[in-house]
Amino acid sequence: MGYQMDIGSLLLSAETHAARVEGILLADPALGGLWRMETSLLEAAASVGLESDRISTQGMVLRLTSGTAVEEDTRAVEMGLKVLTVIRRPGSPFGAPIAALRRIEAAAAPIGQTRDEGDRLEDAELSLVVEAGRTWSHVPILAAWRAAASYAFRSRRSSPVAERLVFMAVEGAARHLQGLSPDQRAGRDELDERAGGLLMPATAGWIVPPSVSLTRNGFRVWSPMTGLATFLEAATRSLSHDLGHLGTLRHELARLTAMTSSAHGRSRLGDLITYLEAQPVISSAMVMDHLGVTRRTALSLIGELVDAGCLSNLTARSTSRSWALPSLAARMGHAGGAGAVRGGVFAAREGPRGNLKPSGQLERLREERDEGQLDRIMADLDSAMSGVDDVVRRAGSPKPRET
């Protein structure tokens, strides 16, 4: 009984925080776009980083904006970019489950490795994964967790990156079913994906980034078949942090608006600011291309925003530079919990000899041994939620009309 109440209380707390974040984002679409842009970058780096691949958010961004060579594992960066594409466009797991999950699997496949077709899940199994989440779509975080647990079991934990993408896709889809978040089906996926994950506008409804939650302020193992309580605690803390961070982002947008008002005559500063609101990481080449200006003009416009404190330089050099809004630059610079920079999450996982351990490796081995575990996991989750299910349903159901 204690376990049930604890899980129920933790879940209600996490959902309450998520609902507050979601409400703020829905009320201010520009703020929502900027927050998802930042969070998707951090989540992509953190998700790849959880699998012991050295990668930083800054490395991904520099590679996309300028093609700059960075001291990173190139394969890890490329993996991060594939993951980023799906985070930005999760697809429609409830409307087209097989297509959405196949795309997730393709993005999560390690660079340079081919998967044994014998290990490939059947289409029917992918549908069951989504159905495990749909039954609890009125509680989006639990729906996402059930789907991730189902995929983890059926795939024998072959791809934790895919598990986390399943979580995000199902959570966002569940929020849409509740009638708040807009429909996230994308109309130009192929063209957008060709442009690259960073340049792709986000059409997503997720609120809880799993990897960021687990690696913010320390390191926690991603374990969808056993670690719900730990995850909920981490998610609530992360969402609480985001509630404060949204105020910082709103301030940055207001400062950009003020700069637009002060732009004189035929200055292209207003056009650059409009671009920044949808694309908060830029290079001079991107500005030249988007605005159709010379390099000198692009650098001059960027310089005005740097002087006003609206942009920060991401690199310490004078060539091949990229700039970002200050909040994103600061989060990227402190991405020890959101990527595999020196120290950070990796320091927490190093053994006596300093060797990196795959996240949750022992957990996975234990989870794979018991073929009957999935049914028990789902039954335990349902049992744990039985005490709060009626409360959640009543809170989320429309009031009856008066006749």
Side-chain angles (χ1 to χ4, degrees):
M1 186 65 177
Y3 169 79
Q4 294 179 17
M5 291 302 294
D6 287 345
I7 290 292
S9 298
L10 289 169
L11 184 56
L12 283 176
S13 178
E15 285 288 2
T16 300
H17 281 74
R20 291 178 64 192
V21 171
E22 184 178 25
I24 292 170
L25 301 185
L26 289 171
D28 191 340
L31 181 65
L34 183 56
W35 178 81
R36 279 208 174 83
M37 176 71 77
E38 285 192 2
T39 305
S40 62
L41 285 167
L42 296 169
E43 174 65 24
S47 187
V48 176
L50 278 171
E51 303 314 305
S52 299
D53 288 321
R54 279 190 188 278
I55 181 175
S56 71
T57 317
Q58 189 179 79
M60 282 201 307
V61 169
L62 294 178
R63 188 173 179 82
L64 272 176
T65 56
S66 61
T68 304
V70 291
E71 294 181 4
E72 307 255 358
D73 181 347
T74 302
R75 289 190 301 178
V77 172
E78 293 300 326
M79 178 80 174
L81 298 180
K82 289 201 305 172
V83 170
L84 178 62
T85 298
V86 175
I87 291 173
R88 292 274 171 84
R89 294 286 176 90
S92 180
F94 292 156
I98 296 170
L101 266 65
R102 290 294 183 215
R103 183 164 165 264
I104 284 173
E105 290 181 325
I111 301 293
Q113 294 184 21
T114 56
R115 189 173 181 178
D116 187 345
E117 285 297 312
D119 293 334
R120 191 171 188 258
L121 295 184
E122 300 290 339
D123 288 354
E125 290 183 281
L126 297 182
S127 296
L128 290 174
V129 167
V130 173
E131 284 306 310
R134 190 196 293 268
T135 56
W136 281 88
S137 60
H138 56 292
V139 187
I141 293 175
L142 184 61
W145 189 265
R146 288 175 110 260
S150 177
Y151 185 84
F153 177 82
R154 297 179 188 284
S155 64
R156 296 183 178 272
R157 303 232 57 197
S158 61
S159 179
V161 173
E163 296 164 14
R164 291 187 284 272
L165 290 174
V166 167
F167 178 96
M168 298 185 80
V170 171
E171 190 224 345
R175 294 191 186 282
H176 169 63
L177 285 185
Q178 298 314 300
L180 291 176
S181 292
D183 192 349
Q184 305 302 338
R185 276 174 280 187
R188 301 181 66 191
D189 275 336
E190 187 177 342
L191 290 176
D192 284 330
E193 288 185 23
R194 229 179 279 158
L198 180 67
L199 307 180
M200 175 194 296
T203 59
W206 46 261
I207 297 296
V208 182
S211 309
V212 169
S213 298
L214 290 168
T215 56
R216 184 178 257 163
N217 299 322
F219 167 77
R220 295 170 182 82
V221 172
W222 165 257
S223 182
M225 294 163 67
T226 59
L228 179 57
T230 298
F231 177 76
L232 292 174
E233 290 175 346
T236 299
R237 277 193 288 271
S238 185
L239 289 166
S240 179
H241 185 281
D242 278 327
L243 283 168
H245 182 63
L246 287 172
T248 301
L249 292 183
R250 186 180 281 118
H251 175 70
E252 291 193 354
L253 287 174
R255 191 161 51 184
L256 286 173
T257 300
M259 287 292 291
T260 302
S261 302
S262 67
H264 300 293
R266 300 174 62 186
S267 170
R268 302 298 303 277
L269 188 62
D271 296 329
L272 174 55
I273 289 171
T274 299
Y275 183 42
L276 276 171
E277 289 175 348
Q279 177 57 52
V281 183
I282 59 169
S283 65
S284 58
M286 292 168 66
V287 175
M288 291 166 59
D289 181 63
H290 186 77
L291 300 186
V293 297
T294 64
R295 175 176 172 79
R296 182 176 178 178
T297 299
L299 290 173
S300 176
L301 293 171
I302 291 169
E304 285 189 59
L305 294 180
V306 171
D307 291 342
C310 294
L311 280 179
S312 296
N313 188 355
L314 294 177
T315 56
R317 50 182 173 265
S318 59
T319 59
S320 300
R321 290 174 291 175
S322 291
W323 293 263
L325 296 183
S327 63
L328 177 56
R331 293 183 78 183
M332 287 166 56
H334 295 87
V341 293
R342 292 137 187 90
V345 285
F346 285 90
R349 281 185 288 154
E350 289 178 356
R353 298 183 181 179
N355 295 323
L356 299 178
K357 309 292 185 185
S359 72
Q361 185 176 33
L362 297 179
E363 289 275 348
R364 292 178 210 166
L365 291 174
R366 284 197 292 268
E367 290 167 1
E368 290 170 4
R369 291 173 186 164
D370 190 345
E371 293 295 324
Q373 190 171 7
L374 181 61
D375 289 341
R376 292 199 300 276
I377 290 170
M378 296 302 173
D380 286 346
L381 289 175
D382 291 346
S383 176
M385 277 302 297
S386 61
V388 296
D389 188 26
D390 289 341
V391 175
V392 174
R393 286 187 184 278
R394 284 199 300 272
S397 60
K399 295 180 180 178
R401 295 179 181 176
E402 295 182 3
T403 56

Short mmCIF file of all heavy atoms in Angstrom, two decimals, residues 90-98 100 173 183-185:
data_model
loop_
_atom_site.label_atom_id
_atom_site.label_comp_id
_atom_site.label_asym_id
_atom_site.label_seq_id
_atom_site.Cartn_x
_atom_site.Cartn_y
_atom_site.Cartn_z
N PRO A 90 8.22 13.90 -33.50
CA PRO A 90 8.05 12.53 -33.01
C PRO A 90 7.12 11.67 -33.86
O PRO A 90 7.06 10.46 -33.69
CB PRO A 90 7.46 12.73 -31.60
CG PRO A 90 7.74 14.16 -31.26
CD PRO A 90 7.73 14.90 -32.55
N GLY A 91 6.35 12.28 -34.75
CA GLY A 91 5.40 11.50 -35.51
C GLY A 91 4.10 11.34 -34.74
O GLY A 91 3.82 12.04 -33.78
N SER A 92 3.29 10.37 -35.17
CA SER A 92 1.96 10.16 -34.58
C SER A 92 1.84 8.72 -34.10
O SER A 92 1.32 7.86 -34.80
CB SER A 92 0.87 10.47 -35.62
OG SER A 92 -0.42 10.27 -35.08
N PRO A 93 2.33 8.42 -32.88
CA PRO A 93 2.32 7.03 -32.42
C PRO A 93 0.92 6.43 -32.28
O PRO A 93 0.76 5.23 -32.45
CB PRO A 93 3.04 7.09 -31.07
CG PRO A 93 2.94 8.51 -30.63
CD PRO A 93 2.94 9.32 -31.89
N PHE A 94 -0.08 7.24 -31.97
CA PHE A 94 -1.43 6.70 -31.86
C PHE A 94 -2.11 6.62 -33.21
O PHE A 94 -2.89 5.72 -33.48
CB PHE A 94 -2.27 7.57 -30.91
CG PHE A 94 -1.82 7.50 -29.47
CD1 PHE A 94 -2.11 8.54 -28.60
CD2 PHE A 94 -1.10 6.42 -28.99
CE1 PHE A 94 -1.70 8.49 -27.27
CE2 PHE A 94 -0.67 6.36 -27.67
CZ PHE A 94 -0.98 7.40 -26.81
N GLY A 95 -1.81 7.56 -34.11
CA GLY A 95 -2.43 7.56 -35.43
C GLY A 95 -1.74 6.64 -36.41
O GLY A 95 -2.40 5.99 -37.24
N ALA A 96 -0.43 6.56 -36.34
CA ALA A 96 0.36 5.71 -37.25
C ALA A 96 1.49 5.07 -36.45
O ALA A 96 2.66 5.43 -36.59
CB ALA A 96 0.92 6.54 -38.41
N PRO A 97 1.14 4.12 -35.57
CA PRO A 97 2.13 3.59 -34.61
C PRO A 97 3.33 2.91 -35.25
O PRO A 97 4.47 3.11 -34.81
CB PRO A 97 1.32 2.61 -33.77
CG PRO A 97 0.12 2.26 -34.61
CD PRO A 97 -0.18 3.49 -35.40
N ILE A 98 3.12 2.13 -36.28
CA ILE A 98 4.23 1.37 -36.87
C ILE A 98 5.21 2.32 -37.54
O ILE A 98 6.43 2.23 -37.35
CB ILE A 98 3.70 0.31 -37.85
CG1 ILE A 98 2.86 -0.73 -37.09
CG2 ILE A 98 4.85 -0.37 -38.59
CD1 ILE A 98 2.10 -1.68 -37.97
N ALA A 100 5.67 5.50 -36.89
CA ALA A 100 6.33 6.34 -35.88
C ALA A 100 7.44 5.56 -35.18
O ALA A 100 8.55 6.08 -34.98
CB ALA A 100 5.30 6.84 -34.87
N ALA A 173 1.84 12.67 -27.65
CA ALA A 173 0.59 12.25 -28.28
C ALA A 173 -0.54 12.17 -27.26
O ALA A 173 -1.69 12.52 -27.55
CB ALA A 173 0.79 10.88 -28.95
N ASP A 183 -2.38 19.22 -32.62
CA ASP A 183 -2.01 18.03 -33.38
C ASP A 183 -0.60 18.21 -33.91
O ASP A 183 -0.26 19.23 -34.49
CB ASP A 183 -2.98 17.84 -34.55
CG ASP A 183 -2.83 16.48 -35.21
OD1 ASP A 183 -1.85 15.78 -34.90
OD2 ASP A 183 -3.69 16.13 -36.03
N GLN A 184 0.25 17.19 -33.69
CA GLN A 184 1.67 17.34 -34.02
C GLN A 184 2.07 16.64 -35.31
O GLN A 184 3.22 16.40 -35.55
CB GLN A 184 2.53 16.81 -32.86
CG GLN A 184 2.22 17.46 -31.53
CD GLN A 184 2.38 18.97 -31.55
OE1 GLN A 184 3.10 19.50 -32.39
NE2 GLN A 184 1.72 19.67 -30.65
N ARG A 185 1.10 16.28 -36.14
CA ARG A 185 1.47 15.65 -37.40
C ARG A 185 2.18 16.65 -38.31
O ARG A 185 1.72 17.78 -38.49
CB ARG A 185 0.23 15.10 -38.11
CG ARG A 185 -0.16 13.71 -37.61
CD ARG A 185 -1.45 13.25 -38.20
NE ARG A 185 -2.56 13.85 -37.47
CZ ARG A 185 -3.83 13.52 -37.69
NH1 ARG A 185 -4.14 12.62 -38.58
NH2 ARG A 185 -4.79 14.09 -37.00
#
